[in-house]
Each structure stands twice: as C-alpha cells, then as structure tokens.
Amino acid sequence: MRGRGWQEVTSESAQPNEWDIHWCDREWLKENYDHTYFQEHVRICHFRNHYELTRKNLMVKNLRRMKKLVERENGKMSGQAFEFYPTTFELPSEYHIFVEEFKRFLGHIWIMKPVAKSQGKGIFLFKKLKDITDWKKGEYSANPDPSIPTPETYVVQRYIHNPYLINGRKFDIRVYVLVTSYNPLKAWLYRSGFARFSNQRYSLESIDDSYVHLTNVAIQKTAPDYDPEKGSKWSLQQLRRYLTARHGREAVDKTFSEMDNIFIKCLQSVQKVIINDKHCFEMYGFDILLDENLKPWLIEINASPSLTASSGEDYMLKYGLLTDVLNVIDLEGRLSGKEKRVGGFDLIWDDGQVMEDDSLWDAVCISSETPNSFLGCYNDDREEQLAKLYKSLALTKAKQSAAS
C-alpha cells in the first residue's frame, strides 16, 4: 500500500473517517460496523455477516437451502449441481440424524471440525462412535445449566478416503475469489493459487496422523522433516500442467469447470443472506480437494485466508494477489468499470456468467467453452496487462477531455 503512495494512519492519529480503506480483522468489524458512518469512498475488507459462508455449519445450511430451492423450481436433477461437498451434519444439534447415517455406513471414516476455527485446529478423524463421546445421547437439554460450559459446535463429514495423490501424497487446492458486490453479484477469480501437500505419504492405516491427512501449512511446517526452503506447495499452473499431461486437456478442463460451478453456487447460496454494502468487499480462500476421479470437493471457505508467505514463490503470489485486489477495488479511480480482466483477476460473474473476449489462453487451457475463467492458466503477463490497461484508459480519458 505504501508502494502505491498511500499514507498509513492509525486509529489514534486518524480523525473520524479520515481514511479510505481499512484491512480490518473480523473482531474490528463486529465491534465497529454497526456504529460507524462510512463516507462514500471508504472500503473495508469484509461484509457484515460474511460468516454465513465461512462458518462451516452455516455454509452447509445455506447450500442445502439453495439446493432445495433449485430442485423445487427446476426439478430434482438440477440439484446435482450442488453435490460438491461431503455428507455433513452439525453437532450436537444433528447428532441423532448423524448416528442413523453412521449406522448405515459402518466402517466408513468420518472427520470432525470445529465450525469457526482455521489452520487445522481441533480436527480429527474417527471410525467409532465412542471416539466422540462428548456428543453422546442425553448430554444436552433445551435449557442447559448456565454454569456448565456449552459444548463447542462441530461439523462431522464423511471423509473423502480416495483423494487424488501425487507422489503418494495428498493435497488440496487454495483458490482466491474476490466479491465486490452481492447485489448484483459480482465476482472475480484469481488465476494463480497453489496446491498444499501433506508431508507424509497417504495411508488409511493411521487416521490419527495429522501429517498424512491434513494439508494445512500451519500443521505441515511442524513435521520433523519439513524443509522450509522447499516448502510443500505447487503453483496452480504447475498442477494444471501436471494433470493435463497425465489425463488430457478435456478431462482437466471439465474438472476446472466444475470448480467454477462450486464458486458460483456457493456465492449464490448466500446472495440474499449477506448484508450487501457498497463499502465492503471480500476476498475468500476456497479450499478444494480432488478425488481419484478428478472430481472436485469443497472442503471449506476462509474469510481471512492466510497472507503469510511460506517461500519466495509464495511471497510473489500473495504480493501480486493483494496488489490486484487493490487494483480491482480501484480507490484511485483509474478503471472504467467495464473490465473483464485486471491483472491476475478475471471477472467470472456480473449479475450473470461473464464470457471471455479474445484473451489469449495458455496452451493447456484452450477449451471449447468460453466462460471468462482462467484458473491455473498463464499469469506471468499480469504486470504487462496492467500497464497496457492503464495506458489505454489514460489515453481514452485524455481524448475525452480534449473533445470536451
């Protein structure tokens, strides 16, 4: 931000609304949003109730509701577009329903996750009901004793036991989606991202080993043989090239198209729930897992994806990502508002699907379909694209000024 010529102010030195953008944390938002008047130009990095999509239990609740609505309006078959997240239950409120499902699939592995924690905290796998005795029948009443701590809310999901493996290791994919408006819905997809690998070879023999089953960097970097210089990530471009070489362009294009469906369906599921505010924007971190059939599964959505770099390459990715978020937000007023690409971001939804123009595809990304989505495609020209974009807009404004 300083590199853009912006000046930093602190809460102590700033006068009321003497600022343009605040990269606030969720606690600040909760404490200040309802009591603060924002001037026309001010921007903050969260929507008021962003948690409707980023808390694991609310995300599933909203997706379920959207699926039922679509099925009611368009038939049962249309609901298949929402079959991209594992069977999920909220505990303790849906414990009895979960037990019925558990007994139908004895021997299956399940995974427990706190609804509001990140970086793999509190997650564990289990096969037997006795392993989750904290949620056993009879422990909860409608009017619990206030002196007794309320049990933490978890979600329990059927574990995806057949992940796609590379060199015997499990990985998931981090994708960045920027929403600048929910009414109308306007969403941008970042071309770059990364695959996060586990440090140990995948096996179901030990479901207690976090280094095998959880790909979070916060966990993997504590492994005894973790190499901080090498890290445990691939770029999305590297992953897409690898998959294309192994499975062919058509299969990989289908997989990435299904990922686009996940992003849009998730945003649509909360479109009427999120409190839209022109001062707000949100950069989500979607976590996607591929199974052995190249089917993408939604794992979770992060409201504050980590911006800490784990390597030099990771630093460059996140530096470019943040720069392009600010470019899209456009506090300097340099854009026309009609752009379909700004740096590494491509506009994929603008009150409807956005189709691509004559943009150049990377060799592995050519497809017969034409949505304006280039996830995992060529992105090395982002600075050149920005320079051309701003130069073109400056010339247009100069001509308009001369004509007037």
Side-chain angles (χ1 to χ4, degrees):
M1 291 182 176
R2 293 194 189 100
R4 302 171 77 93
W6 295 4
Q7 180 180 354
E8 182 179 4
V9 294
T10 64
S11 57
E12 292 77 19
S13 63
Q15 297 299 316
N17 284 298
E18 195 183 51
W19 48 274
D20 301 286
I21 185 171
H22 183 17
W23 201 276
C24 62
D25 56 32
R26 288 166 290 182
E27 289 68 28
W28 183 95
L29 186 76
K30 184 177 180 180
E31 294 174 3
N32 295 279
Y33 181 91
D34 293 331
H35 313 290
T36 304
Y37 170 76
F38 298 115
Q39 293 187 15
E40 182 74 16
H41 63 283
V42 164
R43 296 290 182 269
I44 56 176
C45 66
H46 292 298
F47 286 91
R48 174 65 179 86
N49 56 337
H50 59 85
Y51 48 79
E52 289 285 349
L53 191 57
T54 57
R55 282 178 66 100
K56 300 175 184 67
N57 56 334
L58 297 181
M59 178 192 79
V60 172
K61 181 195 75 173
N62 285 308
L63 284 170
R64 285 175 179 170
R65 187 190 66 247
M66 184 71 175
K67 180 181 179 181
K68 289 180 181 178
L69 176 63
V70 169
E71 289 178 339
R72 187 163 60 246
E73 293 180 348
N74 303 310
K76 282 285 185 180
M77 291 292 292
S78 60
Q80 294 180 0
F82 290 84
E83 295 178 358
F84 51 73
Y85 60 94
T87 301
T88 304
F89 301 93
E90 180 181 319
L91 300 186
S93 63
E94 296 180 334
Y95 178 79
H96 301 295
I97 305 174
F98 160 65
V99 170
E100 292 179 8
E101 185 76 3
F102 180 90
K103 291 179 178 178
R104 288 179 58 209
F105 298 95
L106 291 175
H108 281 219
I109 300 173
W110 296 80
I111 184 168
M112 289 278 285
K113 305 175 183 180
V115 299
K117 289 183 179 179
S118 59
Q119 298 183 330
K121 296 174 183 174
I123 296 178
F124 63 92
L125 279 63
F126 68 96
K127 285 185 178 180
K128 301 177 182 179
L129 283 178
K130 68 180 183 64
D131 295 331
I132 55 168
T133 53
D134 287 346
W135 290 271
K136 64 185 178 182
K137 181 180 178 181
E139 274 198 11
Y140 306 102
S141 61
N143 299 297
D145 185 343
S147 64
I148 301 176
T150 303
E152 184 175 7
T153 302
Y154 272 65
V155 293
V156 58
Q157 296 180 320
R158 184 176 289 117
Y159 185 61
I160 300 171
H161 66 281
N162 60 333
Y164 189 97
L165 304 178
I166 296 179
N167 296 327
R169 288 171 171 78
K170 178 182 176 181
F171 66 93
D172 70 357
I173 303 169
R174 167 59 58 85
V175 180
Y176 299 100
V177 177
L178 174 65
V179 177
T180 53
S181 170
Y182 269 102
N183 186 24
L185 180 60
K186 190 168 186 177
W188 301 75
L189 178 64
Y190 202 62
R191 296 187 175 194
S192 298
F194 51 83
R196 303 178 297 188
F197 286 82
S198 62
N199 207 54
Q200 304 294 330
R201 295 179 68 85
Y202 183 74
S203 170
L204 291 177
E205 293 182 2
S206 176
I207 63 173
D208 298 324
D209 192 338
S210 297
Y211 299 133
V212 171
H213 298 283
L214 304 183
T215 59
N216 309 71
V217 175
I219 290 176
Q220 294 297 326
K221 69 181 182 182
T222 65
D225 55 347
Y226 178 78
D227 184 351
E229 293 295 323
K230 185 179 179 181
S232 56
K233 294 180 180 179
W234 275 12
S235 71
L236 258 182
Q237 285 80 2
Q238 185 178 2
L239 176 65
R240 186 158 188 165
R241 286 194 297 269
Y242 175 89
L243 294 175
T244 301
R246 291 290 302 272
H247 303 281
R249 183 178 300 159
E250 184 177 351
V252 175
D253 283 347
K254 181 176 182 292
T255 295
F256 277 72
S257 178
E258 290 174 353
M259 290 168 63
D260 290 340
N261 172 68
I262 293 175
F263 309 142
I264 297 303
K265 290 294 188 293
C266 287
L267 298 177
Q268 289 177 328
S269 74
V270 296
Q271 186 176 1
K272 295 183 179 180
V273 178
I274 295 290
I275 300 172
N276 190 62
D277 188 330
K278 64 183 179 182
H279 300 101
C280 303
F281 64 93
E282 194 90 40
M283 184 183 70
Y284 295 106
F286 280 73
D287 289 343
I288 306 291
L289 178 72
L290 300 184
D291 68 19
E292 61 187 9
N293 300 311
L294 289 182
K295 174 181 171 60
W297 294 89
L298 174 65
I299 304 303
E300 65 181 36
I301 305 172
N302 299 272
S304 298
S306 173
L307 298 174
T308 302
S310 57
S311 65
E313 184 178 359
D314 199 37
Y315 177 88
M316 295 306 298
L317 184 154
K318 291 176 178 176
Y319 184 92
L321 169 70
L322 283 172
T323 299
D324 287 342
V325 167
L326 300 178
N327 290 334
V328 173
I329 301 306
D330 191 32
L331 288 177
E332 296 97 340
R334 295 184 291 178
L335 302 180
S336 68
K338 299 180 181 179
E339 290 78 14
K340 291 186 178 181
R341 180 188 178 189
V342 178
F345 275 109
D346 296 294
L347 184 64
I348 59 170
W349 196 268
D350 189 6
D351 203 21
Q353 189 177 51
V354 178
M355 310 307 284
E356 61 119 343
D357 293 323
D358 297 325
S359 304
L360 294 177
W361 288 72
D362 181 84
V364 303
C365 298
I366 297 175
S367 169
S368 59
E369 300 180 358
T370 56
N372 195 50
S373 172
F374 303 88
L375 182 63
C377 296
Y378 184 65
N379 194 36
D380 293 340
D381 69 334
R382 55 170 294 275
E383 292 188 4
E384 179 183 351
Q385 189 271 342
L386 285 169
K388 289 181 178 179
L389 174 65
Y390 289 135
K391 182 178 180 179
S392 174
L393 290 170
L395 289 173
T396 300
K397 289 181 180 180
K399 290 179 181 178
Q400 292 174 344
S401 178
S404 60

